Amino acid sequence: MSSTKPVSSEDILGQKYDRCLADFVVKAGVGFSAGVVASVIFFRRRTWPIALSTGFGAGAAYADCDRSFNPARVPGTRIIPAPVSEAK
Amino acid sequence: MLCASTTRQVASSAGRNVFKVTRRRLATEAPAAPKKPRIVRRIFFATTALTGSFYVGSAFLAFNNPEYYDFFTQNVPLGQTVLEYGEENNWDTVTVHSVIDYTVRTTTSLKDFVMEKVNGAPTAVKEAKEAAEKAAHDAKDVAMKTIESSKERAKDVAAQVKTEVQKEEDKLTGKAAAIAKHQREQLLDGVGDLVRKAEEALASNPVSSPNPPNNPPGVPSEIDASILTPKAETKDVYEAPLPVGFEPPPGFSRPPPAKKETPPPKYAELPLVAPAVSALASSEPVISHLAGTIDNLASFLKTNPEAASRVTDVLDLAKEDLSSLAQRIESVKEEERRGLEQKLDEQTREYTIKLLEIEMESQDRLDNQEEEFRKLFDLRQSQLVQSYRQKLEEELKTQTELINERLKNEVIAQGIELQRRWIREVKMRVEEERGGRLAKIDELSAHLKRIERVALDNSAYLDENIRVHALWSAIRALSSSALSSPVRKPFREELRVARHIAAAREDPVVVTALESLEASEVPDVGVEPFADLASWYTTSVAPKVSNVALVPDRDAGLLSHLASHLLSSFRFKRHGFVEGNDVLSVLSRAEYYLNEKDLDSAARELNQLNGTAKVMLHDWLEAARRRLEVEQALEVVHTQATLASLLVI
């Protein structure tokens, strides 16, 4: 639906929110599942690998979401206010 | 120089030679002595003549030739002085003729001079002669004049008398005798007058003639004779025998007393009378006697002038002689008168008879001549009449021919003239008619033009009206479809129509406005209606923008967005025209403007926002701007159409 019809400008933010949520759910689910498998196989059913991997997935999702809201923010770079307007 | 020196040498040598010669002659009596002086003299004369001719000739040549003048003055001694002398005597103006004249004159004068010297004094004699001749000539002239005048008078009187006599005899033959007597008397009176005049002339003549008394006695006597003879002739015209005896007495009787009184002072002025009167002595012995006595007296007086007292007896003798002479003259006069009267009577009779005869003859002759003349006259008249008649006829013929020809020519000329005049008149009429027609046509054409103009104006008005109307309808359709329609729909067709109409009206403003509108994609998309825009803003745009009102303009991450989303829901909603630069107040102001149906101001307010809010407002602003553009263009077109409609009517 969104690919076919251009979204009106006031709905862009809501769309971002939707995508971020979906991405978070997927990445956190992938991390949780990967942690479960790793704890079952490698760590004799311990809980911390599950939480860690879920956290990785959630962190990655957050980073992606943050980048979608502010595409100018690149890790390792810092934009100084004066030339920012120029870069934009 | 050379010439002068040679001449001098020659002169000196000549002088020396002469001296030598004389000395030699004195010293030695040489036989060749006489030859030398001749040679010397010849040389001397030749040189002097040569030098003289040279100087004179060169002077003349110098006056004629300026080059030679210079040469002569500069190179020849005494040349300057010779030329000066020549200039003083006007040699330079001398010509050949003048020279010849002068020489001739000088030769004549020389001749005269020589002759005078030779002959002594013949000039004095000549002068005296000339004077005497002159005096004699003058006296002659005077005498001749008086004689001529007297002659003429006598002739006049004689002619008058003759004519009168003839007339009288012609007219009055019967009374001829009496009239003749009367005329004789008149004639006699005339003769007496003549005699008196002659006497006066004679009296004046002796006074003038005695003036040259020293002259030879022949001259005055000749004059006297010449004076006397013509008078005799004049009297001969009237009475032949009279003159000889009649004249002398007054001529001679009057001068003697004057002579008698004059003798004492002038002794030498008494001419001898006897020789002068000798011609008359044969006829009049008394006169010769008297002349003799007078001469005696005169001679006596000449011999002894102081014996005037003793002259008295001689004078008495003379007196007696004179008285006898007077008596004789009287008797002679009487005799002569009688004879004359008789002769006159006879002559009158003869003349009257002759006159009568002549009259008769002349009358006959006149009658004959008259008849001949009459015949001749008749003949000539008839001839003349015939010739003149012929001439007249010929003249008449020629004249009639001429007149006929002239008449023909005149008729032809008049015909031509009339035709010309007629043609001219016709032309005039036609021109007038044409002028009138043309004037009417002009008027009509002017009217027609006016009507045409009116019609054209009307049509133009109508066209303009129609165009304006079409424009108006097109604009209305456009605005209705573009702006005031309830739904968004494309209006390109309406825009095209409106643009075409505007292009037909050649309205640049409308055309540019519509062209700018047509160039964009707005007519294809259409324009959102104001109500839609307003509802869109209030329902979706304004709350979503108010959710991101707290998001910073830069480096707005997910957290800031989430925070603003959360916190904005706790903020108070502002409404109406609120002051402030923050997003929420701007939004409220835009809402207020939208409620006021001021899309322009709302769009301006919202356009001030930055950052995320601007991004979120983008679509709505775009739609609003599109609508505003269309609105503006249509407003321009609308005003232009209003202006056009106002201009039309």
Side-chain angles (χ1 to χ4, degrees):
Chain A
M1 196 147 128
S2 63
S3 62
T4 54
K5 196 183 175 185
V7 185
S8 67
S9 59
E10 69 267 10
D11 293 332
I12 288 169
L13 215 59
Q15 201 180 12
K16 277 180 182 175
Y17 280 133
D18 291 344
R19 279 178 187 168
C20 277
L21 194 64
D23 191 42
F24 181 77
V25 169
V26 168
K27 281 178 179 169
V30 168
F32 179 74
S33 56
V36 167
V37 169
S39 70
V40 168
I41 295 167
F42 296 109
F43 299 106
R44 300 166 205 172
R45 289 193 193 172
R46 290 195 190 178
T47 49
W48 57 272
I50 297 164
L52 187 73
S53 61
T54 311
F56 275 130
Y62 172 76
D64 284 346
C65 190
D66 198 26
R67 212 177 289 129
S68 77
F69 274 101
N70 193 2
R73 181 181 286 180
V74 180
T77 61
R78 190 170 159 222
I79 293 157
I80 300 155
V84 162
S85 59
E86 286 177 9
K88 268 188 179 176
Chain B
M1 278 290 279
L2 272 172
C3 284
S5 60
T6 47
T7 48
R8 253 177 243 162
Q9 275 177 353
V10 164
S12 59
S13 64
R16 230 176 289 153
N17 281 344
V18 167
F19 186 66
K20 270 182 191 172
V21 163
T22 49
R23 224 180 5 180
R24 218 178 269 173
R25 202 187 280 169
L26 286 171
T28 67
E29 297 166 0
K35 271 190 182 178
K36 279 207 172 178
R38 266 184 205 167
I39 293 158
V40 169
R41 211 185 296 156
R42 207 178 290 164
I43 289 162
F44 174 74
F45 278 130
T47 48
T48 47
L50 274 172
T51 48
S53 57
F54 166 73
Y55 271 103
V56 172
S58 52
F60 277 112
L61 195 63
F63 285 131
N64 288 325
N65 192 0
E67 290 169 12
Y68 187 73
Y69 186 94
D70 295 339
F71 173 76
F72 191 63
T73 48
Q74 286 166 10
N75 297 334
V76 180
L78 292 174
Q80 188 70 35
T81 51
V82 167
L83 287 174
E84 280 171 5
Y85 177 76
E87 279 171 8
E88 278 174 15
N89 292 330
N90 299 326
W91 283 6
D92 46 353
T93 56
V94 167
T95 58
V96 179
H97 278 290
S98 64
V99 167
I100 290 161
D101 288 348
Y102 184 70
T103 48
V104 168
R105 241 180 288 143
T106 46
T107 47
T108 49
S109 64
L110 254 173
K111 201 179 160 189
D112 289 351
F113 181 71
V114 171
M115 290 293 282
E116 264 181 43
K117 289 289 164 188
V118 171
N119 296 347
T123 51
V125 175
K126 265 188 188 175
E127 280 174 11
K129 255 190 185 175
E130 280 171 9
E133 277 174 9
K134 264 188 183 176
H137 200 69
D138 290 347
K140 256 189 184 175
D141 286 349
V142 171
M144 287 295 279
K145 273 177 191 173
T146 47
I147 287 154
E148 277 171 12
S149 62
S150 57
K151 257 188 182 177
E152 280 169 10
R153 273 180 202 168
K155 271 184 185 173
D156 288 346
V157 171
Q160 210 181 338
V161 167
K162 256 191 184 173
T163 48
E164 280 176 6
V165 166
Q166 270 191 345
K167 277 178 188 174
E168 295 297 316
E169 280 170 351
D170 284 343
K171 287 174 182 174
L172 310 164
T173 44
K175 296 172 185 177
I179 292 157
K181 267 185 186 176
H182 184 66
Q183 281 182 346
R184 288 308 125 156
E185 280 170 13
Q186 278 184 345
L187 214 156
L188 277 173
D189 289 346
V191 168
D193 288 341
L194 254 177
V195 167
R196 246 170 273 144
K197 277 174 190 171
E199 278 173 5
E200 280 170 11
L202 278 173
S204 62
N205 253 0
V207 176
S208 58
S209 56
N211 284 346
N214 287 341
N215 288 3
V219 180
S221 67
E222 277 173 15
I223 294 162
D224 279 352
S226 64
I227 293 160
L228 292 174
T229 47
K231 265 153 209 172
E233 283 166 16
T234 52
K235 271 150 206 175
D236 277 337
V237 178
Y238 307 102
E239 299 136 304
L242 266 183
V244 184
F246 205 77
E247 273 174 31
F252 281 92
S253 59
R254 281 185 193 174
K259 276 166 195 170
K260 274 166 201 168
E261 286 166 12
T262 46
K266 298 171 186 175
Y267 323 103
E269 291 182 10
L270 284 170
L272 287 172
V273 186
V277 191
S278 60
L280 305 168
S282 57
S283 59
E284 299 288 334
V286 184
I287 288 165
S288 63
H289 184 66
L290 179 60
T293 52
I294 289 162
D295 284 345
N296 282 340
L297 178 60
S299 60
F300 179 75
L301 279 171
K302 238 182 235 178
T303 46
N304 42 347
E306 284 102 26
S309 57
R310 270 176 275 172
V311 183
T312 46
D313 14 324
V314 185
L315 279 172
D316 288 341
L317 222 161
K319 266 182 189 175
E320 283 171 15
D321 287 349
L322 274 170
S323 58
S324 66
L325 183 64
Q327 279 172 2
R328 169 136 177 89
I329 286 161
E330 282 295 314
S331 61
V332 166
K333 267 184 188 173
E334 283 294 314
E335 282 171 19
E336 288 295 322
R337 200 176 290 162
R338 263 172 234 150
L340 263 172
E341 275 174 8
Q342 280 176 357
K343 273 182 188 175
L344 277 169
D345 288 344
E346 281 168 17
Q347 276 180 343
T348 47
R349 249 171 261 151
E350 280 173 23
Y351 281 129
T352 45
I353 290 155
K354 273 182 189 173
L355 275 168
L356 275 170
E357 282 171 5
I358 289 159
E359 207 184 345
M360 291 293 278
E361 275 177 23
S362 62
Q363 237 163 1
D364 289 349
R365 228 180 276 164
L366 273 170
D367 289 346
N368 290 335
Q369 274 183 344
E370 210 178 318
E371 277 175 22
E372 279 172 23
F373 280 136
R374 206 166 281 166
K375 278 175 193 171
L376 256 171
F377 178 73
D378 288 345
L379 249 171
R380 286 284 164 82
Q381 216 174 8
S382 59
Q383 281 176 359
L384 277 170
V385 163
Q386 277 182 352
S387 63
Y388 275 114
R389 204 167 282 165
Q390 279 180 355
K391 272 185 188 176
L392 227 162
E393 277 171 11
E394 284 170 14
E395 284 280 310
L396 272 170
K397 272 182 192 174
T398 49
Q399 286 283 353
T400 45
E401 280 170 14
L402 276 171
I403 286 160
N404 279 337
E405 271 184 39
R406 210 181 291 160
L407 276 171
K408 270 183 195 173
N409 287 333
E410 274 185 16
V411 163
I412 288 159
Q414 263 187 342
I416 289 161
E417 185 81 7
L418 277 170
Q419 217 161 348
R420 217 176 280 165
R421 212 177 286 168
W422 187 66
I423 286 160
R424 214 178 292 153
E425 211 166 317
V426 166
K427 269 185 187 174
M428 285 255 291
R429 288 276 166 78
V430 167
E431 285 292 318
E432 273 180 29
E433 196 78 21
R434 199 188 286 166
R437 292 272 165 88
L438 280 172
K440 274 181 189 172
I441 286 164
D442 280 350
E443 212 174 318
L444 282 172
S445 67
H447 278 299
L448 200 72
K449 268 182 186 172
R450 226 173 290 155
I451 289 160
E452 204 175 272
R453 202 177 299 153
V454 168
L456 280 170
D457 288 354
N458 262 340
S459 69
Y461 277 126
L462 279 171
D463 286 356
E464 200 70 25
N465 263 334
I466 287 159
R467 252 177 249 148
V468 169
H469 189 70
L471 187 66
W472 265 113
S473 53
I475 287 161
R476 233 170 276 140
L478 186 62
S479 63
S480 70
S481 68
L483 299 177
S484 53
S485 69
V487 216
R488 191 186 72 174
K489 55 183 177 185
F491 55 92
R492 186 163 282 279
E493 194 62 25
E494 287 86 351
L495 183 65
R496 195 179 58 78
V497 169
R499 199 181 144 260
H500 274 284
I501 288 160
R505 273 195 73 249
E506 292 176 354
D507 198 339
V509 182
V510 176
V511 169
T512 43
L514 291 177
E515 260 182 358
S516 68
L517 198 60
E518 201 175 17
S520 66
E521 48 174 8
V522 179
D524 290 329
V525 179
V527 175
E528 298 281 347
F530 183 74
D532 278 15
L533 274 175
S535 65
W536 183 13
Y537 176 76
T538 47
T539 51
S540 62
V541 174
K544 280 171 185 171
V545 173
S546 64
N547 278 338
V548 293
L550 294 173
V551 174
D553 291 343
R554 287 183 295 268
D555 298 335
L558 175 65
L559 286 173
S560 59
H561 278 94
L562 284 174
S564 90
H565 201 87
L566 278 174
L567 288 170
S568 64
S569 58
F570 293 111
R571 290 186 69 169
F572 296 104
K573 269 260 173 168
R574 303 181 95 175
H575 290 285
F577 193 76
V578 194
E579 284 191 2
N581 271 331
D582 60 317
V583 178
L584 284 176
S585 53
V586 168
L587 282 174
S588 67
R589 253 182 283 157
E591 198 175 2
Y592 167 78
Y593 281 129
L594 281 175
N595 287 335
E596 296 288 314
K597 293 201 172 180
D598 190 354
L599 185 64
D600 189 20
S601 300
R604 278 171 205 283
E605 286 293 336
L606 292 176
N607 206 28
Q608 288 173 5
L609 293 172
N610 289 318
T612 321
K614 177 110 186 223
V615 173
M616 295 189 71
L617 277 167
H618 180 264
D619 272 9
W620 188 87
L621 273 175
E622 201 63 26
R625 204 174 290 141
R626 233 177 279 150
R627 188 183 167 78
L628 282 171
E629 274 175 13
V630 173
E631 267 186 0
Q632 201 176 11
L634 280 177
E635 206 175 340
V636 167
V637 173
H638 208 270
T639 47
Q640 204 63 30
T642 317
L643 194 65
S645 66
L646 282 171
L647 279 173
V648 166
I649 300 155

